[in-house]
Amino acid sequence: MSSLSCQWLCGAYAYPSGRFCNLSSSNTSTSSLAGFTIYCSNSQFTPGPSPSPGSSKNDLKFVLHDALDASGINTTHARIAREGFCSQVRKLSNIERETSICINRGVDLGKTALHIAAEDDSLVSHSSVPLPVDDFLERLDHLSIGYCSRYSSSFTSSPEHFIHCLEKYLYVNKGFRRTGATNQSEPRALYLHSVLTHRSGSASLLSLLYSEILKMLRLWGFLSFDIEVFFPHDSSSTPRGYCKQKTKESDQSHVMTTQSLLEEMLKDLKDSFWPFQLDHTKSPFLRAARAANCSESTNDSDESAFELASVKAALHRLERGVWTSVRFGDMRRALSGMCIQVFPSFP
């Protein structure tokens, strides 16, 4: 097995590198699965000002980056993007974590999403040039400016008419559409810069676009009523707005907070790029453990043979240091977005 894959599968590094992990925590659980030991940090992240150089209080250890560096892959741009992501997350207060994305002001969700995209772009492309985050932020702002120039009359109309105009602008005039978040044939739907370019995105990123336009219109003083974004939990609907004063109790589960949106975005990435894609009724770790055993059988011999061949192929690629392959995930991007389930909330 190559040294790169061995560091992860055999425990040379005792924790996953996740975007929501503070690895200095002492609360660590271990689970031995199929001959491998998986260590999951029960992380504690204390928001506040960025730590001074040399400080370890909030120092996030980028183990994935260390492993890639050890294999000769330059992760300079990926580390800078991760630091950018962490600088935004540090701004989350207890109140803002539970604040709707429509009124959030502490964390720049657009910039945070672009830092996620910049890190993964660097890990995959190995480009000497980082993803131009500022250019895509400007493109995001232009969406709001474009709405103002086309539908300025909606600012003095009823909330219902404003919502109709905004959704016509997003989904008809601009042509944004929903794609399945776990459709590996379209991973670009999971990254904000690609969504802005190709107009095709996951529910979480379309919700982000919707909320960013609302936020900018409110900051510019054009929005005098409260609009909430209805986040769809099915596989095909697009995010829709509704007047907050008409909120029903059943709508609460469809309201995205700043934290829940970030979690949804990272969960989409992890689920989409995890190499062991079969049997989605089980957690990614259990699927990896089953792949490591390569011994479970089912009553369906054809399904069992196909699954056995798939997991053996995935393991063989990882053992040879091949982190990605068509239709079999991308371990780099899966690990980059991990720890969202072992770190369900900020304290």
Side-chain angles (χ1 to χ4, degrees):
M1 182 180 291
S2 72
S3 59
L4 182 60
S5 58
C6 190
Q7 289 166 340
W8 285 103
L9 294 180
C10 298
Y13 288 107
Y15 36 75
S17 173
R19 288 189 171 99
F20 281 167
C21 273
N22 181 334
L23 300 169
S24 62
S25 172
S26 60
N27 297 325
T28 304
S29 62
T30 64
S31 176
S32 180
L33 298 173
F36 303 129
T37 301
I38 298 173
Y39 299 78
C40 295
S41 170
N42 183 12
S43 311
Q44 299 294 312
F45 184 90
T46 304
S50 301
S52 59
S55 172
S56 61
K57 181 178 180 182
N58 284 330
D59 183 26
L60 302 184
K61 300 182 184 298
F62 305 152
V63 186
L64 173 62
H65 299 161
D66 292 342
L68 290 169
D69 278 335
S71 69
I73 298 174
N74 189 321
T75 62
T76 300
H77 296 318
R79 291 175 185 271
I80 293 173
R82 178 70 66 95
E83 289 287 1
F85 172 89
C86 293
S87 69
Q88 290 295 320
V89 172
R90 289 189 183 103
K91 298 177 184 179
L92 278 174
S93 66
N94 288 328
I95 294 176
E96 286 169 331
R97 292 172 196 141
E98 302 304 321
T99 299
S100 165
I101 57 176
C102 293
I103 57 176
N104 163 67
R105 293 191 180 186
V107 176
D108 188 328
L109 287 173
K111 183 178 291 187
T112 305
L114 286 169
H115 282 311
I116 293 173
E119 180 181 352
D120 284 5
D121 178 77
S122 176
L123 293 177
V124 173
S125 70
H126 310 307
S127 173
S128 60
V129 180
L131 188 77
V133 169
D134 290 341
D135 290 348
F136 283 104
L137 280 174
E138 186 175 346
R139 184 177 294 192
L140 186 59
D141 288 341
H142 283 166
L143 269 181
S144 301
I145 296 173
Y147 179 80
C148 292
S149 62
R150 186 179 293 229
Y151 291 103
S152 58
S153 62
S154 68
F155 299 141
T156 57
S157 63
S158 67
E160 291 77 14
H161 181 68
F162 168 81
I163 292 170
H164 170 76
C165 291
L166 179 54
E167 292 175 1
K168 181 180 179 182
Y169 174 72
L170 267 179
Y171 302 132
V172 179
N173 301 139
K174 289 299 181 180
F176 285 98
R177 66 185 188 279
R178 166 92 182 270
T179 58
T182 58
N183 184 357
Q184 288 192 57
S185 64
E186 291 193 57
R188 63 191 183 190
L190 306 176
Y191 295 109
L192 181 56
H193 72 295
S194 294
V195 174
L196 288 169
T197 302
H198 300 287
R199 312 292 173 90
S200 175
S202 64
S204 56
L205 288 182
L206 291 182
S207 295
L208 187 152
L209 290 180
Y210 202 125
S211 68
E212 285 296 292
I213 294 177
L214 291 176
K215 182 180 74 172
M216 295 307 297
L217 294 179
R218 186 174 287 109
L219 287 174
W220 293 337
F222 294 142
L223 200 58
S224 58
F225 36 79
D226 290 332
I227 302 295
E228 190 60 80
V229 176
F230 185 93
F231 182 85
H233 292 300
D234 59 28
S235 60
S236 59
S237 301
T238 53
R240 299 287 173 176
Y242 63 94
C243 185
K244 198 167 185 177
Q245 293 179 339
K246 298 182 179 180
T247 300
K248 303 186 293 290
E249 185 175 351
S250 59
D251 294 333
Q252 293 304 312
S253 63
H254 295 272
V255 174
M256 295 297 282
T257 65
T258 301
Q259 179 171 317
S260 64
L261 181 68
L262 291 173
E263 290 178 352
E264 188 72 22
M265 289 163 52
L266 294 178
K267 181 178 178 293
D268 286 346
L269 289 169
K270 183 189 69 174
D271 290 346
S272 180
F273 294 116
W274 190 245
F276 311 102
Q277 287 291 319
L278 293 174
D279 193 1
H280 285 270
T281 61
K282 296 183 178 179
S283 72
F285 275 121
L286 288 180
R287 280 182 263 151
R290 182 173 181 179
N293 275 322
C294 284
S295 60
E296 277 194 42
S297 61
T298 65
N299 295 328
D300 189 331
S301 58
D302 291 335
E303 179 184 348
S304 179
F306 176 76
E307 181 172 346
L308 186 62
S310 298
V311 298
K312 282 186 175 180
L315 280 175
H316 181 60
R317 283 190 301 277
L318 292 174
E319 288 171 354
R320 291 187 292 114
V322 179
W323 290 62
T324 182
S325 182
V326 177
R327 294 186 64 253
F328 285 100
D330 186 332
M331 183 61 87
R332 297 163 300 182
R333 288 186 278 186
L335 290 174
S336 186
M338 281 183 62
C339 288
I340 200 65
Q341 290 181 330
V342 300
F343 187 36
S345 62
F346 298 100

